[in-house]
């Protein structure tokens, strides 16, 4: 590399000597010399020279701007650059003054050229080293910055970067409320399930693929960020109105519709989108993200549209959920949960074949909290895993007690509801085995209810698990049948045992011929496929008569009994058997 040396001297003498002395070196391209006549010219040269000057040789006494002032001002242009003073006035005062102003060395005229060459080399080396260190430092700083502001997995902006961009947007909007913006909070559906069933590798690839799809729905000026595990955020600027935002959200849903082909697996996902518009009335970026998040939770409710615009009333609901979540966590730890048992009746001989375990939460302040309120929340937060584990344990222990308590009613079975997430948990089978062994139960006394929606996920993991359960004699029951979208061909392939006809078809079947037709069809289907059928939610004698006449083998519902507290089970069994 050629070192660039700036020689600052008003006497042409120095220039001439240097050129003469370094001629050989100039040809070798070790040094390139450029010249200035005084400090002022030198500063101008420094400001424009590319690549930059590596070392300065400067005289002290010069017209317009002397060497001392030049020494002072070099750092304004380049902090790494060093100057060597070459002066005829090499007395101590001058040397000290120059050194105090940042001179790297001091040479006296007449010049000893060997000395000069050594000094130039030394100075260039020092400057080069300093610059190299600085550059490395800058690179480290850039990398740290990159890490602090981008998401490593997807390469998208992260939360910090998103909030920074949002802050700019919020400030601009405060000055000019014309340019509306919107913050979209997105959550990927079924991410947790994919992570538990297929592992990190695949769930990571799902996130990367999602990021790619989201990008295709956005303009280059929109900001897309990944906030956390399965959460993304989008900042849309300069939008006309909420209709425009809605159409972008629609485009995103459309893009997410087709399945992801990842590692030979076909994965269906989707997103729920919450939206906060720029006219929220806050100046804090975090408020926009929070509001969009709140709206996203609203959108996530199964009954709602997958896109929701934030309105203040959602906040109350969000607070309530937040509190409920932490309380539920405690409830599982402190055993505030307990089980109720609803009998399942075998119709042909009017006997109790078993019970369905239904979880209950006796909240110290709120009183009874129903599963419809906390199961969806537990599924969302992952708390469903410890919850369902707890239910399995309790159900197993209970059945073991009943066996010694009610030999006259034996065999009884117990049905347990399990969520998709629990089912995909890696340690699930081991848990079942422990529960069966420790309670001396055979698999055939345990039934597992899975909703139709879960089964239709078609994951090889769930299929594999089902066959593992079968080898243990555990019966599988498809819950809420008729409410999902079962593919009949698929149903046929699954080694299921029981279909539970959803209570929405039983309720009103006496008067509504359509419902009656559906019940008939499901019963025929069950028979054809060799499944047993349980009618859920039987409330009236008329429904029971109809079901009997249709040959439905099992029924469950308030007509026989509401879900019972444990102590009431004994008297129910006795009373029922003497009916
Ligand atoms: P599900 O599995 O469909 O449970 C049947 C629900 O219907 C129960 O509601 C039960 O109390 C109610 N029911 C029973 N007979 C009648 C009737 O004749 N009429 C009417 N109107 N309702 C009847 P519950 O206990 O509130 O549970 C609601 C849902 O929560 C359950 O629906 C199940 O999906 C879920 N769940 C309950 N316990 C657990 C659990 O331990 N784990 C999981 N993952 N889910 C649970
Ligand atoms: Ca059930
Ligand atoms: Ca059900």
């Amino acid at each position: 590399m050629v070192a660039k040396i700036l020689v600052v001297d008003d006497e042409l003498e120095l220039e001439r000597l240097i050129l003469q002395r370094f001629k050989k070196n100039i040809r070798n391209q070790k040094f390139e010399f450029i010249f200035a006549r005084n400090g002022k010219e030198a500063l101008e040269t420094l400001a424009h020279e590319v690549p930059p000057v590596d070392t300065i040789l400067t005289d002290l006494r010069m017209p317009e701007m002397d060497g001392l002032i030049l020494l002072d001002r070099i750092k304004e242009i380049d902090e790494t650059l060093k100057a060597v003073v070459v002066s005829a006035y090499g007395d101590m005062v001058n040397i000290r003054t120059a050194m105090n102003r940042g001179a790297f060395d001091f040479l006296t005229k007449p010049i000893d050229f060997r000395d000069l060459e050594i000094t130039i080399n030394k100075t260039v080396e020092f400057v080069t080293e300093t610059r190299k260190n600085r550059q490395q430092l800058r690179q480290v700083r850039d990398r740290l910055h990159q890490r602090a502001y981008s998401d490593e997995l997807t390469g998208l902006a992260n939360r910090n970067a998103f909030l920074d961009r949002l802050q700019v947007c919020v400030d601009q909007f405060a000055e000019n409320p014309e340019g509306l913006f919107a913050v979209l909070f997105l959550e990927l559906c079924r991410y947790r399930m994919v992570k538990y069933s297929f592992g990190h590798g695949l769930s990571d690839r799902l996130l990367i693929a999602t990021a790619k799809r989201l990008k295709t729905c956005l303009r280059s000026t929109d900001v897309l960020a990944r906030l956390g595990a399965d959460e993304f955020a989008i900042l849309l600027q300069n939008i006309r109105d909420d209709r425009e935002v809605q159409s972008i959200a629609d485009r995103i849903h459309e893009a997410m519709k087709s399945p992801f082909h990842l590692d030979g697996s076909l994965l269906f996902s989707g997103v729920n989108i919450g939206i906060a518009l720029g006219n929220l009335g806050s100046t804090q970026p975090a408020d926009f993200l929070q509001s969009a998040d709140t709206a996203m939770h609203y959108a996530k409710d199964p009954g709602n549209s997958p896109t929701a615009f934030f309105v203040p009333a959602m906040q109350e609901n969000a607070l309530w959920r937040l509190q409920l979540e932490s309380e539920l966590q405690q409830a599982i730890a402190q055993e505030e949960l307990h089980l109720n048992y609803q009998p399942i009746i075998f119709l042909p001989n009017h006997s109790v074949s078993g019970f369905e375990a239904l979880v209950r939460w006796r909240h110290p302040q709120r009183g009874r909290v129903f599963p419809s309120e906390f199961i969806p929340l537990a599924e969302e937060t992952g708390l469903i895993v410890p919850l369902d584990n707890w239910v399995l344990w309790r159900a197993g222990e209970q059945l073991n007690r009943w066996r010694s308590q009610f030999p006259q009613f034996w065999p009884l079975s117990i049905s347990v509801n399990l969520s998709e997430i629990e089912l995909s948990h890696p340690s699930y089978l081991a848990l079942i085995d422990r529960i069966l062994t420790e309670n001396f139960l055979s698999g055939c006394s345990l039934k597992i209810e899975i909703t139709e929606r879960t089964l239709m996920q078609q994951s090889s993991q769930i299929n594999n698990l089902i066959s593992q359960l079968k080898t243990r004699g555990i019966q599988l029951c498809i819950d809420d049948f008729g409410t999902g979208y079962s593919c009949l061909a698929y149903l046929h392939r699954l080694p299921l045992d029981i279909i539970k006809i959803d209570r929405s078809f039983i309720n009103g079947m006496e008067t509504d011929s359509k419902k009656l037709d559906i019940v008939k069809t499901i019963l025929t289907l069950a028979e054809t496929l060799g499944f047993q059928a349980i009618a859920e939610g039987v409330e009236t004698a008329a429904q029971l008569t109809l079901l009997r006449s249709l040959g439905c083998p099992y029924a469950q519902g308030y007509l026989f009994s509401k879900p019972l507290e444990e102590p009431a089970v004994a008297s129910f069994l006795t009373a029922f058997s003497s009916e």
Side-chain angles (χ1 to χ4, degrees):
M1 215 187 70
V2 189
K4 198 184 278 184
I5 318 294
L6 173 63
V7 182
V8 194
D9 198 349
D10 54 333
E11 290 162 39
L12 287 171
E13 181 62 12
L14 181 61
E15 180 175 337
R16 201 180 54 78
L17 282 172
I18 281 179
L19 284 177
Q20 203 177 23
R21 166 74 193 178
F22 287 102
K23 217 174 188 174
K24 188 171 117 249
N25 281 325
I26 291 168
R27 220 179 296 124
N28 289 345
Q29 295 200 315
K30 190 171 174 196
F31 300 123
E32 176 195 351
F33 289 95
I34 53 176
F35 301 89
R37 295 280 155 252
N38 55 51
K40 209 162 148 236
E41 251 187 70
L43 286 177
E44 273 162 27
T45 309
L46 287 180
H48 299 112
E49 203 59 32
V50 185
V53 169
D54 297 299
T55 285
I56 298 175
L57 301 178
T58 182
D59 191 12
L60 282 182
R61 299 208 175 157
M62 291 176 293
E64 284 195 71
M65 186 190 286
D66 68 17
L68 288 177
I69 299 180
L70 174 65
L71 284 174
D72 269 343
R73 300 198 46 191
I74 290 171
K75 47 188 165 304
E76 290 170 19
I77 295 171
D78 185 344
E79 281 192 322
T80 58
L81 188 56
K82 288 290 171 201
V84 175
V85 173
V86 184
S87 170
Y89 306 92
D91 57 278
M92 271 322 281
V93 178
N94 267 336
I95 295 176
R96 280 187 54 186
T97 317
M99 298 310 266
N100 282 341
R101 297 199 180 195
F104 188 70
D105 209 339
F106 200 108
L107 297 176
T108 45
K109 288 178 185 170
I111 303 170
D112 173 334
F113 279 107
R114 251 177 55 84
D115 210 14
L116 176 67
E117 188 170 352
I118 292 169
T119 308
I120 293 179
N121 274 328
K122 200 173 64 185
T123 317
V124 168
E125 201 178 297
F126 180 84
V127 170
T128 313
E129 192 64 22
T130 312
R131 286 179 178 163
K132 213 166 76 199
N133 289 344
R134 286 213 169 198
Q135 196 186 357
Q136 277 171 352
L137 209 67
R138 206 175 307 127
Q139 279 168 352
V140 170
R141 217 184 296 136
D142 286 352
R143 268 205 300 278
L144 285 176
H145 184 270
Q146 171 88 0
R147 208 172 287 167
Y149 281 86
S150 82
D151 170 49
E152 239 172 307
L153 182 69
T154 58
L156 297 179
N158 67 6
R159 182 182 291 266
N160 288 343
F162 188 82
L163 286 172
D164 278 2
R165 293 289 294 270
L166 185 53
Q167 179 75 66
V168 175
C169 210
V170 170
D171 293 346
Q172 278 170 356
F173 185 73
E175 275 179 22
N176 170 26
E178 291 292 287
L180 190 61
F181 68 91
V183 174
L184 280 66
F185 194 107
L186 296 86
E187 195 183 88
L188 192 60
C189 305
R190 310 190 50 242
Y191 168 77
R192 214 183 284 265
M193 202 285 288
V194 172
K195 196 165 105 183
Y196 285 142
S197 325
F198 300 98
H200 283 278
L202 202 85
S203 61
D204 280 356
R205 278 197 284 287
L206 176 64
L207 289 170
I208 295 168
T210 302
K212 254 195 208 149
R213 277 198 198 178
L214 292 176
K215 264 190 215 155
T216 63
C217 303
L218 302 174
R219 301 165 298 183
S220 59
T221 48
D222 301 329
V223 184
L224 172 63
R226 177 167 169 241
L227 303 179
D230 52 357
E231 294 169 347
F232 294 87
I234 295 169
L235 173 62
L236 302 175
Q237 281 167 280
N238 295 320
I239 44 158
R240 283 188 304 279
D241 51 22
D242 51 355
R243 279 202 309 267
E244 190 182 343
V245 185
Q246 178 71 54
S247 74
I248 293 170
D250 291 345
R251 199 156 50 189
I252 292 174
H253 290 305
E254 194 56 42
M256 293 296 292
K257 255 190 196 154
S258 44
F260 291 89
H261 298 264
L262 299 171
D263 286 0
S265 295
L266 204 61
L267 292 176
F268 287 88
S269 190
V271 283
N272 290 299
I273 306 179
I275 301 166
L277 292 176
N279 52 13
L280 193 67
S282 168
T283 52
Q284 298 302 313
D287 288 350
F288 289 86
L289 215 46
Q290 178 64 54
S291 301
D293 185 6
T294 302
M296 192 282 297
H297 275 90
Y298 184 85
K300 210 166 151 182
D301 257 5
N304 297 338
S305 143
T307 305
F309 284 84
F310 174 78
V311 288
M314 289 175 179
Q315 216 142 22
E316 243 169 72
N317 186 273
L319 276 177
W320 178 85
R321 290 168 67 96
L322 207 65
Q323 198 178 346
L324 202 65
E325 184 189 333
S326 75
E327 288 174 352
L328 180 58
Q329 208 156 9
Q330 270 182 22
I332 298 169
Q334 295 171 2
E335 306 246 331
E336 281 170 25
L337 301 178
H338 68 286
L339 291 181
N340 274 7
Y341 304 93
Q342 189 175 35
I344 298 171
I345 312 299
F346 184 52
L347 296 179
N349 68 3
H350 198 70
S351 65
V352 177
S353 79
F355 292 86
E356 177 176 1
L358 292 157
V359 71
R360 296 289 176 261
W361 181 6
R362 220 181 282 122
H363 189 284
Q365 284 89 40
R366 292 172 203 255
R368 286 172 67 164
V369 188
F370 283 91
S372 55
E373 286 182 76
F374 64 87
I375 296 284
L377 183 75
E379 288 186 330
E380 215 174 273
T381 53
L383 283 174
I384 195 72
V385 174
L387 189 149
D388 277 351
N389 284 348
W390 180 89
V391 170
L392 261 177
W393 268 113
R394 275 303 127 92
E397 287 166 358
Q398 187 60 60
L399 198 60
N400 188 15
R401 277 198 296 275
W402 282 340
R403 180 177 31 206
S404 44
Q405 227 174 325
F406 311 126
Q408 69 279 33
F409 299 114
W410 202 252
L412 289 170
S413 64
I414 202 150
S415 308
V416 182
N417 294 283
L418 288 186
S419 90
E420 169 189 7
I421 301 170
E422 164 71 0
L423 210 59
S424 353
H425 209 267
S427 58
Y428 174 67
L429 269 176
L431 176 77
I432 294 256
D433 286 339
R434 264 188 65 201
I435 290 172
L436 291 179
T437 321
E438 290 192 18
N439 293 293
F440 316 104
L441 297 171
S442 75
C444 56
S445 50
L446 183 64
K447 296 186 170 134
I448 286 174
E449 301 196 1
I450 311 166
T451 63
E452 194 181 0
R453 260 187 307 140
T454 307
L455 277 176
M456 290 309 116
Q457 244 88 74
Q458 305 203 9
S459 84
S460 55
Q461 167 96 5
I462 289 196
N463 288 353
N464 183 29
L465 185 92
I466 291 176
S467 27
Q468 291 282 336
L469 293 173
K470 301 299 299 185
T471 61
R472 289 158 175 78
I474 296 169
Q475 293 202 316
L476 272 152
C477 171
I478 178 162
D479 206 352
D480 303 343
F481 190 77
T483 57
Y485 10 77
S486 303
C487 158
L488 285 184
Y490 185 60
L491 205 61
H492 181 62
R493 271 191 281 130
L494 283 175
L496 297 172
D497 306 279
I498 305 161
I499 284 184
K500 271 194 142 178
I501 309 171
D502 191 65
R503 68 165 181 272
S504 57
F505 304 116
I506 306 297
N507 175 8
M509 67 185 279
E510 327 77 301
T511 49
D512 185 335
S513 64
K514 271 202 204 113
K515 285 188 178 176
L516 183 61
D517 278 347
I518 293 174
V519 174
K520 276 186 193 162
T521 311
I522 298 177
L523 284 169
T524 313
L525 177 78
E527 208 180 328
T528 316
L529 296 177
F531 300 163
Q532 292 163 355
I534 304 180
E536 276 190 320
V538 180
E539 292 183 354
T540 67
Q543 288 162 5
L544 178 60
T545 311
L546 260 176
L547 287 165
R548 276 189 198 279
S549 73
L550 294 173
C552 177
Y554 292 91
Q556 179 183 356
Y558 293 171
L559 177 68
F560 310 103
S561 166
K562 290 204 164 181
L564 298 165
E565 295 288 331
E566 196 259 321
V569 169
S571 49
F572 172 81
L573 280 173
T574 315
F576 193 79
S577 66
S578 59
E579 258 179 29

